């Protein structure tokens, strides 16, 4: 692909400010669409563009919008999920920091399509500078009546509230996000009902990822077909891939959906650092099942990776060379999940803590081969029995690391290798 | 309506109810559940009520899945049982091995469901999570053990939805989540005892019952609380098999019994902890005043003396003070004896000025269990309910004799008023179950059985007639009031008709229109409302 | 003590509450506001938030203890959140954490005696392109080395 689309303003100085953004085309599409199209036409465009939810689930965005009730009995809310938290992922942060007006324009179009007049942007608490810039961007948009009442003279209203989270990964789950936005503990909700019917404050709500909404102006500007063709079958457009770990050039890469993973690592990210040998790649954030070096000839889109037994997820690609200890990686993965489990339901609350305890024991040299079986059983038992998919996400690293690197785990256990789980304590005081 | 199949059996239930409601309504299966409670909102967090539903890929929780026409549900299939078992193992992973010292043992849902759905080789081999509050009182009635807590949040929902006092919350996250109250506050609402009932494990336990007795030694009788005129349905749990274990107390605790019309699943703390009178300060002996001092005697002597007094009594110069603490059966025989047979005019039953706190939930200000019953059975004018005019009459010297059921006149009117009354009234006959100064001054003191020690019915404030069952034998020499009254009637020439309270009620139902058509069978354990004219 | 500060925040609280469709949705923002000014979440802060949002104070405490960014105890002037997730570990974050702890003389969840620094081992801060990284106060610092850590900390008052 030739021209950057989502990332076109990322390296332009001050593109987060309205003056620069507008000079580069921000809000032109919204102005045009609100004055000439109908809401359902916008939804149709997004649907035919094959835009998939880019937060991790990959659900067709247009289809989600169509789940809303048409009776207009209750107000519809648009909620932006900017609670980016999946380890290995940092692309939404770039949008918030470097091109928030792209998001706002996308929100205007989405709110128009779903007939919403009130939107909330939920930004993770640790993203302080992104929050500040987004708030400034929103204020600037209000000042020019790109937000508020009667946008662009179209008769359409939209209010945006920029809201901060406070440090909980689980709030990236859309129903937990809604509970958190409502001022509660970030507990995911029982589904059904789904947010499109009963969401924020009990009203129909659409929760969309930052990047998903950032795509919408481009779809409306250049056409749904154009967007669909950029990507692969059923997975339209380009996507911001986050590359990190043992690559020479970690960073955000905008590439077409369906780009081969090998190309992403070897060509775009400059290959494995220091010319070392590749050992493993996590293709879609910590929850995604790991791929061995022999498995990276796969296309990076939702459907292809699902067929390969893993997932695109948040497109956080973490590359590991052959100096990586998989036991250590599992230790840190299980630590993440046990810290971030909300604790609401029993299999996840107990299972994530239990799994981390076992892996810690193995990590520190006190494991047995039976522990590997126990871990696999815990992972299998957590799957499918919880309120949300956090438990499944917690299960997948356990299952994939142990299954695909079994000999390494067994050797670690047999040799009673030892790594201190708390590396700094020795002699700290 | 929807026709569904549960474990091979076709049943028809209301369309759209949850699977667990359908199972509870239409089958005998006790599907395992912790967080689900029919009186509280759905939480869906324990994850143990797993059932297999045909055409659904995974097992689902029964408490949040609604039935639909044609649904086929399996609660005991291999898939369902596997889900139930693995969830149980997760719940037990960090649960402390407290059974030997935990009051919940014997009525603990972790134990019960483990025996039914568990029985696996435990795999947990690491250190269990430790929490801050273990066995810490959080108020006058309840003790909290955070480690035993399985975070079902029933107590949180009870405080938020039922008492609306927002007592409990969950703090922290993940497996360090802790159930707690706000630091510096205490759990002291008027229904606090209920949280120990709904806690399925030993995390919230009753301080009053703590370490008193293992529950498998308890007998249980269906009864009615006598704390106020609501008549919450209860169980009286009493010590059953180890009499040598305890000195005097037989009743160990009261627990609410579900009755959707009266008290739903709940009872107030005053009622719950107000059972001590059954085993303490009891009148255990029949006594007669002899030589200025009350002497122990036997029933025959006392009854014969009383009958003689009643035979000579001038109907205009004797009064009987019955009481709304007594059963319909007691009051009916009292009416037959004093009003019909002896033709006394001075009859009353209600001690005024004793009303207490009332709320818009369960607690009524009338602290008697049978005011409505007394009013209906005795059929007096509203004005005549009050005992005070008769007490005044006695103080003025217009009465020769007073037959008092239960009322402690010293406590009600003061020692001076009582002394004046006693000096003017020649004969005082007292019948009651507690020792008090009024009874001490009686010429004849007849010890009475409490409601826990007899069969009978009370009529609550709404006119609901409710049965209470005999849990214990009368303490000491005490006897059921209706039996005492029958004996007196027989001594005065009546035929002996009743050897069961049930037969007394039958006659009451025949004679009193409000009770017509009722019998013990029809009343059942849910109660029946009086016919209002 | 914090009551005076909180009273001064009432106008701001009013403005925040007005943005939301329901009062209780302002809970997290009010806690951030109060914690920033008071330093940490005191019982007075919880009562103040409860008053503004009508959320019972036990549930305010539930919120405070659920989220990593709220603290019930005072933290140092500069709170260091050091990332301990996968990509930072891959880039040698563990050794640098040792260095950081030795330099400060404290462990995870502790504060230096002079009240200057607090340290928290955090989960992914989503800045993996600059791994290993940490957040000091509001700011992200990445591509850390021992020298860079020293420079960053020595500059702070």
């Amino acid at each position: 692909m030739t021209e950057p689309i989502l990332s076109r303003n990322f390296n332009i100085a001050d593109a987060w400010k309205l003056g620069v953004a507008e000079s580069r085309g921000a809000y032109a599409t919204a102005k045009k669409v609100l004055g000439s199209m109908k809401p359902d036409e916008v939804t149709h465009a997004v649907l035919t563009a094959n835009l998939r939810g880019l937060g991790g689930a990959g659900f067709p965005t247009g289809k989600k919008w169509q789940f809303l009730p048409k009776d207009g009995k209750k107000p519809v809310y648009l909620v932006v999920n900017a609670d980016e938290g999946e380890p290995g992922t940092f692309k939404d942060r770039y949008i918030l920091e470097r091109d928030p007006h792209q998001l706002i324009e996308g929100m205007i179009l989405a709110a128009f399509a779903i007939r919403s007049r009130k939107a909330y942007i939920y930004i993770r608490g640790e993203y302080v500078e992104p929050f500040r810039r987004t708030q400034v961007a929103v204020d600037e948009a209000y000042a020019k009546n790109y937000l508020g009442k009667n946008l662009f003279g179209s008769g359409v209203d939209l209010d945006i509230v920029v809201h901060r989270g406070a440090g909980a990964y689980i709030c990236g789950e859309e129903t937990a996000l809604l509970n958190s936005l409502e001022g509660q503990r970030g507990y995911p909700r029982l589904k059904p009902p789904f947010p499109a019917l009963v969401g924020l404050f009990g009203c129909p709500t659409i929760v969309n990822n930052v990047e998903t909404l950032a795509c919408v102006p481009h779809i409306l500007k250049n056409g749904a077909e154009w967007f669909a063709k950029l990507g692969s079958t059923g997975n339209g457009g380009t996507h911001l891939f986050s590359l990190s770990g043992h690559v020479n050039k970690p960073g955000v890469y905008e590439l077409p959906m369906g780009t081969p993973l090998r190309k992403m690592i070897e060509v775009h990210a400059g290959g494995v650092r220091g010319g070392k040998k590749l050992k493993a790649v996590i293709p879609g954030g910590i929850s995604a099942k790991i791929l061995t070096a022999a498995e990276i000839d796969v296309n990076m889109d939702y459907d292809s990776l699902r067929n390969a037994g893993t997932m695109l997820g948040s497109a956080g690609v973490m590359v590991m060379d052959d100096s990586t200890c998989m036991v250590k990686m599992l230790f840190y993965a299980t630590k993440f999940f046990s810290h971030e489990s909300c604790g609401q339901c029993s299999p996840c609350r107990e299972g994530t803590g239990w799994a981390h305890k076992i892996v810690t024991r193995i990590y520190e040299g006190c494991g047995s081969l039976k522990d590997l079986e126990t871990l696999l059983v815990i992972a299998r038992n957590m799957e499918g029995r919880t309120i949300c998919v956090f438990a499944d996400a917690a299960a997948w690293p356990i299952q994939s690391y142990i299954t695909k690197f079994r000999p390494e785990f067994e050797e670690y256990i047999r040799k009673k290798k030892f790594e201190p789980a708390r590396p700094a304590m020795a002699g700290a005081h | 309506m929807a026709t569904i199949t549960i474990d091979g059996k076709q049943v028809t239930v209301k369309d759209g109810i949850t699977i667990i409601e359908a199972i509870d309504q239409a089958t005998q299966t006790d599907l395992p559940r912790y967080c689900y409670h029919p009186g509280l909102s759905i939480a869906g967090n324990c994850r143990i009520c797993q059932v297999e539903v045909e055409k659904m890929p995974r097992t689902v929780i029964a408490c949040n899945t609604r039935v639909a026409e044609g649904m086929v549900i399996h609660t005991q299939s291999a898939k369902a049982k596997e889900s139930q078992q693995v969830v149980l193992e997760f719940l037990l992973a960090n649960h402390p091995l407290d059974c030997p010292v935990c009051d919940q043992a014997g009525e603990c849902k972790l134990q019960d469901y483990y025996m039914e759905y568990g029985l696996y080789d435990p795999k947990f081999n690491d250190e269990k999570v430790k929490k801050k509050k273990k066995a810490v009182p959080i108020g006058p009635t309840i003790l909290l053990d955070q480690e035993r807590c399985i975070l079902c949040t029933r107590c949180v929902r009870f405080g938020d939805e039922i008492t609306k006092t927002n007592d409990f919350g969950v703090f922290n996250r993940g497996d360090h989540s802790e159930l707690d109250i706000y630091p510096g506050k205490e759990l002291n609402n008027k229904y606090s005892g209920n949280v120990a009932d709904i806690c399925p494990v030993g995390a919230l336990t009753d301080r009053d019952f703590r370490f008193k007795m293992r529950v498998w030694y308890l007998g249980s009788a269906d009864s009615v609380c006598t704390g106020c005129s609501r008549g919450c349905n209860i169980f009286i749990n009493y010590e059953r098999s180890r009499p040598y274990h305890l000195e005097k107390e037989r009743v160990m605790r009261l627990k609410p019994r579900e009755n959707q019309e009266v008290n739903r699943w709940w009872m107030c703390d005053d009622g719950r902890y107000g059972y001590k009178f059954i085993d303490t300060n009891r009148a255990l002996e029949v006594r007669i005043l002899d030589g200025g001092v009350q002497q122990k005697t036997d029933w025959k002597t006392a009854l014969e003396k009383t009958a003689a007094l009643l035979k000579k009594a001038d109907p205009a110069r004797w009064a009987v003070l019955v009481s709304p603490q007594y059963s319909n059966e007691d009051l009916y025989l009292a009416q037959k004896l004093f009003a019909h047979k002896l033709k006394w005019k001075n009859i009353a039953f209600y001690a005024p000025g004793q009303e207490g706190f009332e709320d818009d939930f369960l607690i009524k200000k009338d602290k008697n269990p049978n005011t409505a019953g007394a009013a209906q059975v005795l059929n007096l004018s509203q004005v005549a309910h009050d005992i005070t005019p008769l007490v005044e009459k006695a103080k003025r010297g217009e009465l020769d004799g007073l037959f008092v059921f239960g009322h402690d006149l010293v406590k009600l009117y003061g020692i001076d008023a009582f002394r004046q009354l006693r000096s003017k009234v020649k004969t005082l006959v007292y019948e009651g179950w507690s020792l008090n100064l009024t009874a001490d001054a009686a010429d004849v003191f007849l010890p009475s059985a409490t409601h826990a020690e007899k069969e009978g019915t009370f009529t609550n404030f709404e006119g609901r007639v409710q049965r209470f069952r005999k849990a214990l034998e009368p303490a000491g020499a005490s006897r059921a009031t209706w039996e005492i009254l029958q004996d007196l009637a027989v001594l005065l020439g009546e035929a002996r008709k009743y050897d069961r309270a049930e037969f007394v009620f039958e006659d009451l139902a025949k004679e009193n229109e409000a009770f017509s058509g009722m019998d013990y069978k029809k009343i059942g354990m849910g109660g029946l409302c009086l016919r209002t004219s | 003590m914090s009551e005076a500060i909180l009273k001064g925040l009432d106008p701001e609280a009013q403005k925040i509450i007005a943005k939301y469709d329901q009062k209780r949705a302002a809970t997290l923002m009010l806690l951030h506001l109060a914690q920033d000014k008071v330093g940490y979440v005191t019982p007075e802060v919880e009562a103040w938030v409860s008053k503004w949002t009508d959320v019972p104070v036990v549930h305010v405490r539930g919120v405070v203890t659920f989220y990593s960014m709220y603290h019930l105890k005072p933290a140092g002037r500069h709170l260091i959140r050091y990332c301990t997730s996968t990509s930072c570990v891959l880039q040698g974050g563990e050794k640098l954490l040792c260095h950081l702890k030795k330099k400060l003389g404290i462990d995870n969840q502790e504060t230096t005696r002079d009240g200057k620094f607090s340290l928290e081992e955090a989960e992914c801060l989503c800045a993996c392109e600059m791994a290993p990284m940490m957040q000091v106060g509001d700011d992200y610092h990445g591509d850390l080395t021992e020298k860079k850590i020293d420079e960053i900390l020595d500059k702070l008052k």
Side-chain angles (χ1 to χ4, degrees), chain B residues 156 160 166-174 180-183 185, chain C residues 42-44 46-47 56-59 61-63 65-68:
Chain B
V156 178
D160 287 350
N166 308 111
D167 303 294
F168 292 98
V170 180
F171 301 162
N172 307 334
R173 194 166 78 195
D180 210 343
I181 54 174
Y182 191 78
K185 285 199 169 177
Chain C
T42 62
E44 290 77 28
E46 289 174 327
V57 74
V58 68
H59 295 314
R61 171 66 59 113
V63 166
T65 54
F66 182 86
Y67 297 93
S68 312

Side-chain angles (χ1 to χ4, degrees), chain B residues 103-137:
Chain B
D103 275 333
Q104 199 81 8
E107 54 185 15
C108 168
K109 286 311 193 181
L110 280 174
Q111 287 184 341
D112 293 347
Y113 291 141
Y114 180 83
M115 294 314 293
E116 193 67 46
Y117 301 97
L119 296 175
Y120 53 81
D121 253 333
K123 294 185 286 295
F124 191 87
N125 201 16
D126 288 277
E127 265 222 43
K128 294 182 185 250
V129 174
K130 295 281 173 278
K131 299 196 178 166
K132 286 197 281 292
K133 288 187 180 172
K134 191 159 182 73
V136 170

Side-chain angles (χ1 to χ4, degrees), chain A residues 109-378:
Chain A
L109 291 163
F112 175 69
I114 66 175
R115 297 172 179 84
S116 164
R117 306 160 64 137
K118 184 68 179 277
Y120 291 87
I121 308 176
Y122 184 109
I123 303 181
R124 78 176 279 179
E126 295 91 337
Y127 276 1
V128 184
E129 186 60 20
F131 163 72
R132 288 201 188 117
R133 291 192 178 185
T134 306
Q135 182 66 68
V136 167
V138 165
D139 292 341
E140 287 181 313
Y142 266 103
K144 284 196 94 169
N145 193 216
Y146 294 166
L147 290 173
K149 299 256 175 291
N150 195 14
L151 314 187
F152 317 114
S154 66
V156 172
D157 304 334
L158 180 61
D159 276 318
I160 295 183
V161 175
V162 188
H163 177 93
R164 290 179 72 197
Y169 165 86
I170 190 62
C171 292
E173 198 275 351
E174 67 176 6
T175 60
L177 190 154
L178 294 177
N179 271 345
S180 179
L181 186 45
E182 289 186 6
Q184 299 173 53
R185 290 161 66 85
Y187 281 171
R189 297 177 177 174
L190 296 172
K191 300 170 272 284
F194 288 86
L197 293 180
V198 182
L200 187 62
F201 310 130
C203 298
T205 305
I206 292 295
V207 182
N208 278 141
N209 170 263
V210 170
E211 190 190 348
T212 310
L213 290 170
C215 290
V216 177
H218 305 288
I219 293 173
L220 269 306
K221 175 159 175 243
N222 300 318
E225 246 188 65
W226 162 85
F227 190 84
K229 275 214 192 76
L230 284 173
S232 55
T233 317
N235 299 259
T238 58
H239 191 12
L240 297 174
F241 293 91
S242 307
L243 275 283
S244 66
H246 296 156
V247 284
N248 281 313
K249 297 191 290 179
V252 174
Y253 290 90
E254 182 177 4
L255 296 165
M257 278 287 217
T259 302
L261 178 56
R262 184 182 290 280
K263 184 169 174 217
M264 219 177 263
I265 296 170
E266 290 175 0
V267 174
H268 295 285
V272 180
R273 65 163 184 192
K276 287 245 181 106
K277 214 169 124 214
L278 181 69
K279 181 168 182 179
V281 181
I282 300 175
I286 193 72
S287 315
K289 288 191 178 177
I290 203 166
L291 296 169
T292 64
E295 294 174 318
I296 66 165
D297 289 294
V298 66
N299 293 338
M300 294 291 279
D301 65 36
Y302 289 105
D303 301 321
S304 308
L305 284 167
R306 198 188 58 236
N307 293 336
T310 176
M311 67 179 198
L312 180 60
S314 62
V317 181
M318 293 185 275
V319 176
M320 301 173 185
D321 68 24
D322 60 3
S323 71
T324 309
C325 169
M326 295 316 298
V327 179
K328 184 195 289 283
M329 288 298 105
L330 188 59
F331 168 78
Y332 280 99
T334 51
K335 173 173 84 72
F336 173 79
F337 287 105
S338 78
H339 281 181
E340 297 295 344
S341 169
C342 74
Q344 188 183 187
C345 65
S346 44
C348 173
R349 176 181 72 235
E350 308 296 336
T352 53
W354 186 2
H356 183 55
K357 279 185 180 144
I358 297 177
V359 176
T360 304
R361 205 161 28 78
I362 295 174
Y363 190 53
E364 293 187 317
C366 305
S368 68
L369 291 174
K370 201 173 110 198
D371 285 331
L372 296 178
E373 288 313 313
T374 307
L375 282 168
L376 292 173
V377 170
I378 292 173

